Short mmCIF file of all heavy atoms in Angstrom, two decimals:
data_model
loop_
_atom_site.label_atom_id
_atom_site.label_comp_id
_atom_site.label_asym_id
_atom_site.label_seq_id
_atom_site.Cartn_x
_atom_site.Cartn_y
_atom_site.Cartn_z
N CYS A 791 1.01 3.69 10.07
CA CYS A 791 -0.18 4.52 9.77
C CYS A 791 -1.08 4.74 10.98
O CYS A 791 -1.26 3.91 11.80
CB CYS A 791 -0.96 3.72 8.69
SG CYS A 791 -2.47 4.60 8.14
N CYS A 796 -5.65 0.10 10.37
CA CYS A 796 -4.56 -0.11 9.34
C CYS A 796 -3.17 -0.35 10.05
O CYS A 796 -2.70 -1.45 10.05
CB CYS A 796 -4.46 1.08 8.43
SG CYS A 796 -3.19 1.01 7.19
N CYS A 812 -0.22 5.60 5.68
CA CYS A 812 0.50 4.78 4.72
C CYS A 812 0.17 5.26 3.32
O CYS A 812 1.10 5.15 2.43
CB CYS A 812 0.09 3.35 4.92
SG CYS A 812 -1.62 2.92 4.57
N CYS A 817 -5.93 5.83 3.32
CA CYS A 817 -6.12 6.11 4.72
C CYS A 817 -6.27 7.67 4.97
O CYS A 817 -6.98 8.08 5.86
CB CYS A 817 -4.99 5.53 5.55
SG CYS A 817 -5.16 3.71 5.64
ZN1 LIG B 540 -3.05 3.15 6.48
#
Side-chain angles (χ1 to χ4, degrees):
C791 180
C796 178
C812 65
C817 290

